[in-house]
Amino acid sequence: MTISMASCGNFGRPDPKTLERANEDQDSSRRSLVEEMFTSDEESSASDNAEYTIEDDPENFVKVTVENMTLEEKIGQLFFVRADALETGYENKVVNDDNIGGVTYVDDMMIDALKKYHVGGVVLMEKNIIDEDKLVKLTSDLQSNSDYPMFIGVEELGGELAPIANNMNFDVALFGNMNEVGKTATAANAKKVGKAIGKYLSGYGINLDFAPIADVSDDEEKVKASNFAADPVMVGEMAEAEIEGLHEAGVMTAVKHFPGYGDAVTNKKNVPVNNMSWDEIMVDSGLAFAGALEKTDMLMVGHIMLPEVSDDGLPASMSQQIIQDKIRDEMKFRGVVITDAMSAKCITENYVKREIAVNAIIAGADIILMPYDLDEAYDSVLTAVKDGKINEARIDKSVERILWLKVKNHLFDDRTEKSDDSSKDTDSDSSES
C-alpha cells in the first residue's frame, strides 16, 4: 500500500508497510539520511502528489505520516508517561507515588486515555510489573490500543535498579550494580550486561531501556552504585558497549543524564548545580557522553543548573541555550532529546507546572518524560501551539524524529502484519460471496 498526499486528506492513519531489516551499512546510511532530513524547516514538506512506501522511502513515509496527523496526535507523541497516568481516575499524587500499587492491565479508562492523549510512549515502573504473563499482556494491550506504535520503556540497569530482575516472579539473570561492572575495567562486560537485559526486555514487549547512565562519579573510592566509574573515558567506553549490547538484542537506549549528575541526589527540592564552564564540562563528564551520542537512540538531558554556560535561570532540561545551542548546534546531535522525569520534586516545586512542558519544547526537547500531571502538560503544549507561542513546524520536527526512530526500530512491523492479515481475510470473504 502507498500513501498519497492527494488522497489521504484528514484520514491521518496510513497503513504502515514492513521496513525490511537492514544490515549495519544500510542502517548507517539511513542515519545519515535522517540527519539531513532534519537540518532545515524548508526541507520538511513532501510533494503533494507523491506516493511513498515504508520499504522504499521510509524518510518520506515519516514526513507524509506527520503531515496527515492531527495537531492533537502530534502533541501526544511528545509525551512519554507513566502507565498510571493513563488511569485518569487516579489522583496525580497516586500516579507519581511508587509506594502505592499501580496498574497491571489495560482497562477501558486507559483505552480512552490512549485515544484522547495519543501518547508516544509509556514507562513501566516496579509497581506495574507483577509476573511474566501479566507483563506481556500489559505491553501487548498498550500497543494494540494505540493508534500509533509506542515506545514502552523501563529503567532496567541491573543491581539495585532492575525492577524485573529483582522480581522473584521473573526467571532472568540479576547482574550487579554498574559500579561493579565498572570495576572490571572491561567494556565487553558492559556489553554482555546490555545484551542479556535487552533480550529479556524484548521478550516482554519492552522496546526501550532508560540506560546506560553515563554520569561520572566524583570520587573513585566511592562510585555511585548506578554509575560505572569516576574516570570519564572509562565511563564512555562502558556506556558505548552497553548500548551496543542492548541494540544487538533489539532494544533502544536513552543514555543519561547529560551533562551528568555526578553523585548528586536528583529528586530533592533543589536543582543540582554544576559550576563548570562548558569547556571544562567537555573535557570531564562530556567525554563520557561523546561516543555514546554516536550510537544512542535518545539523549536524556538532566535537571541540572549550569550557571557558567547558560544565563536563563533554567535547568538543562528546559534551557534552549543547552539543548538547542549546545547539544543540537555545537555537538551536532541529531537523535531524539528526552528530558529527565518532569515529576521530579526539584522541578515541580521550583517551576510553574503548566509552563514546564512548554519551556522544554521551546528549548528543543523532543519528548517530555513523566509529567506530573499529563492532562495539564498536554493541554499546555496544545494551547501554546494554538496561541502561536510554539510554531507547529517546531512540533513537526520532533514528531518526525520520534516516528523515524519507531520506523527504524521496526515498531510498525506488527501493525503491518495485522494489516496484511486483515486484507487477506477481506479478500477471502469477497471471493466466498
Side-chain angles (χ1 to χ4, degrees), residues 283-297:
V283 298
D284 186 66
S285 58
L287 285 177
F289 286 89
L293 292 185
E294 299 295 325
K295 299 179 178 181
T296 191
D297 304 285

PDB file of all heavy atoms in Angstrom, residues 283-297:
ATOM      1  N   VAL A 283      35.709  18.363  28.739  1.00  0.00           N
ATOM      2  CA  VAL A 283      36.896  17.531  28.983  1.00  0.00           C
ATOM      3  C   VAL A 283      36.724  16.685  30.241  1.00  0.00           C
ATOM      4  O   VAL A 283      37.639  15.959  30.631  1.00  0.00           O
ATOM      5  CB  VAL A 283      38.178  18.387  29.094  1.00  0.00           C
ATOM      6  CG1 VAL A 283      38.437  19.119  27.795  1.00  0.00           C
ATOM      7  CG2 VAL A 283      38.099  19.365  30.267  1.00  0.00           C
ATOM      8  N   ASP A 284      35.553  16.775  30.839  1.00  0.00           N
ATOM      9  CA  ASP A 284      35.272  15.974  32.032  1.00  0.00           C
ATOM     10  C   ASP A 284      34.081  15.054  31.729  1.00  0.00           C
ATOM     11  O   ASP A 284      34.212  14.096  30.978  1.00  0.00           O
ATOM     12  CB  ASP A 284      34.985  16.885  33.225  1.00  0.00           C
ATOM     13  CG  ASP A 284      34.835  16.112  34.528  1.00  0.00           C
ATOM     14  OD1 ASP A 284      35.836  15.518  34.981  1.00  0.00           O
ATOM     15  OD2 ASP A 284      33.719  16.081  35.077  1.00  0.00           O
ATOM     16  N   SER A 285      32.914  15.353  32.268  1.00  0.00           N
ATOM     17  CA  SER A 285      31.754  14.478  32.055  1.00  0.00           C
ATOM     18  C   SER A 285      31.337  14.405  30.592  1.00  0.00           C
ATOM     19  O   SER A 285      30.785  13.393  30.145  1.00  0.00           O
ATOM     20  CB  SER A 285      30.572  14.953  32.908  1.00  0.00           C
ATOM     21  OG  SER A 285      30.225  16.292  32.603  1.00  0.00           O
ATOM     22  N   GLY A 286      31.626  15.464  29.837  1.00  0.00           N
ATOM     23  CA  GLY A 286      31.278  15.454  28.422  1.00  0.00           C
ATOM     24  C   GLY A 286      31.943  14.332  27.659  1.00  0.00           C
ATOM     25  O   GLY A 286      31.386  13.801  26.688  1.00  0.00           O
ATOM     26  N   LEU A 287      33.148  13.942  28.084  1.00  0.00           N
ATOM     27  CA  LEU A 287      33.857  12.850  27.423  1.00  0.00           C
ATOM     28  C   LEU A 287      33.094  11.532  27.540  1.00  0.00           C
ATOM     29  O   LEU A 287      33.160  10.691  26.651  1.00  0.00           O
ATOM     30  CB  LEU A 287      35.255  12.676  28.042  1.00  0.00           C
ATOM     31  CG  LEU A 287      36.327  13.702  27.683  1.00  0.00           C
ATOM     32  CD1 LEU A 287      37.596  13.404  28.445  1.00  0.00           C
ATOM     33  CD2 LEU A 287      36.581  13.696  26.177  1.00  0.00           C
ATOM     34  N   ALA A 288      32.396  11.373  28.644  1.00  0.00           N
ATOM     35  CA  ALA A 288      31.665  10.122  28.863  1.00  0.00           C
ATOM     36  C   ALA A 288      30.495   9.975  27.893  1.00  0.00           C
ATOM     37  O   ALA A 288      30.074   8.862  27.592  1.00  0.00           O
ATOM     38  CB  ALA A 288      31.163  10.061  30.303  1.00  0.00           C
ATOM     39  N   PHE A 289      29.969  11.102  27.424  1.00  0.00           N
ATOM     40  CA  PHE A 289      28.815  11.070  26.521  1.00  0.00           C
ATOM     41  C   PHE A 289      29.203  11.098  25.048  1.00  0.00           C
ATOM     42  O   PHE A 289      28.406  10.718  24.189  1.00  0.00           O
ATOM     43  CB  PHE A 289      27.893  12.263  26.804  1.00  0.00           C
ATOM     44  CG  PHE A 289      27.094  12.150  28.064  1.00  0.00           C
ATOM     45  CD1 PHE A 289      27.605  12.609  29.266  1.00  0.00           C
ATOM     46  CD2 PHE A 289      25.829  11.574  28.060  1.00  0.00           C
ATOM     47  CE1 PHE A 289      26.881  12.509  30.439  1.00  0.00           C
ATOM     48  CE2 PHE A 289      25.092  11.467  29.228  1.00  0.00           C
ATOM     49  CZ  PHE A 289      25.610  11.934  30.424  1.00  0.00           C
ATOM     50  N   ALA A 290      30.412  11.551  24.742  1.00  0.00           N
ATOM     51  CA  ALA A 290      30.799  11.820  23.355  1.00  0.00           C
ATOM     52  C   ALA A 290      30.565  10.625  22.430  1.00  0.00           C
ATOM     53  O   ALA A 290      29.888  10.731  21.405  1.00  0.00           O
ATOM     54  CB  ALA A 290      32.249  12.277  23.298  1.00  0.00           C
ATOM     55  N   GLY A 291      31.136   9.480  22.774  1.00  0.00           N
ATOM     56  CA  GLY A 291      30.980   8.303  21.926  1.00  0.00           C
ATOM     57  C   GLY A 291      29.572   7.761  21.933  1.00  0.00           C
ATOM     58  O   GLY A 291      29.057   7.299  20.903  1.00  0.00           O
ATOM     59  N   ALA A 292      28.912   7.850  23.087  1.00  0.00           N
ATOM     60  CA  ALA A 292      27.545   7.324  23.211  1.00  0.00           C
ATOM     61  C   ALA A 292      26.578   8.077  22.314  1.00  0.00           C
ATOM     62  O   ALA A 292      25.609   7.502  21.813  1.00  0.00           O
ATOM     63  CB  ALA A 292      27.087   7.403  24.669  1.00  0.00           C
ATOM     64  N   LEU A 293      26.821   9.354  22.099  1.00  0.00           N
ATOM     65  CA  LEU A 293      25.929  10.144  21.263  1.00  0.00           C
ATOM     66  C   LEU A 293      25.917   9.668  19.823  1.00  0.00           C
ATOM     67  O   LEU A 293      24.959   9.917  19.084  1.00  0.00           O
ATOM     68  CB  LEU A 293      26.323  11.627  21.304  1.00  0.00           C
ATOM     69  CG  LEU A 293      26.106  12.352  22.637  1.00  0.00           C
ATOM     70  CD1 LEU A 293      26.413  13.832  22.491  1.00  0.00           C
ATOM     71  CD2 LEU A 293      24.687  12.160  23.138  1.00  0.00           C
ATOM     72  N   GLU A 294      26.976   8.990  19.410  1.00  0.00           N
ATOM     73  CA  GLU A 294      27.028   8.457  18.050  1.00  0.00           C
ATOM     74  C   GLU A 294      26.196   7.182  17.910  1.00  0.00           C
ATOM     75  O   GLU A 294      25.885   6.754  16.796  1.00  0.00           O
ATOM     76  CB  GLU A 294      28.482   8.145  17.671  1.00  0.00           C
ATOM     77  CG  GLU A 294      29.402   9.353  17.684  1.00  0.00           C
ATOM     78  CD  GLU A 294      29.039  10.376  16.629  1.00  0.00           C
ATOM     79  OE1 GLU A 294      28.602   9.960  15.536  1.00  0.00           O
ATOM     80  OE2 GLU A 294      29.182  11.585  16.894  1.00  0.00           O
ATOM     81  N   LYS A 295      25.831   6.582  19.037  1.00  0.00           N
ATOM     82  CA  LYS A 295      25.171   5.279  18.996  1.00  0.00           C
ATOM     83  C   LYS A 295      23.780   5.248  19.617  1.00  0.00           C
ATOM     84  O   LYS A 295      22.945   4.431  19.233  1.00  0.00           O
ATOM     85  CB  LYS A 295      26.050   4.234  19.704  1.00  0.00           C
ATOM     86  CG  LYS A 295      27.411   4.045  19.051  1.00  0.00           C
ATOM     87  CD  LYS A 295      28.261   3.022  19.793  1.00  0.00           C
ATOM     88  CE  LYS A 295      29.602   2.827  19.092  1.00  0.00           C
ATOM     89  NZ  LYS A 295      30.452   1.832  19.769  1.00  0.00           N
ATOM     90  N   THR A 296      23.529   6.103  20.571  1.00  0.00           N
ATOM     91  CA  THR A 296      22.263   6.038  21.299  1.00  0.00           C
ATOM     92  C   THR A 296      21.080   6.498  20.454  1.00  0.00           C
ATOM     93  O   THR A 296      21.231   7.261  19.496  1.00  0.00           O
ATOM     94  CB  THR A 296      22.325   6.873  22.594  1.00  0.00           C
ATOM     95  OG1 THR A 296      21.178   6.598  23.401  1.00  0.00           O
ATOM     96  CG2 THR A 296      22.358   8.369  22.276  1.00  0.00           C
ATOM     97  N   ASP A 297      19.898   6.024  20.817  1.00  0.00           N
ATOM     98  CA  ASP A 297      18.670   6.440  20.144  1.00  0.00           C
ATOM     99  C   ASP A 297      18.150   7.747  20.727  1.00  0.00           C
ATOM    100  O   ASP A 297      17.642   8.599  20.003  1.00  0.00           O
ATOM    101  CB  ASP A 297      17.605   5.355  20.304  1.00  0.00           C
ATOM    102  CG  ASP A 297      18.100   4.015  19.781  1.00  0.00           C
ATOM    103  OD1 ASP A 297      18.147   3.854  18.551  1.00  0.00           O
ATOM    104  OD2 ASP A 297      18.458   3.154  20.609  1.00  0.00           O
TER     105      ASP A 297
END
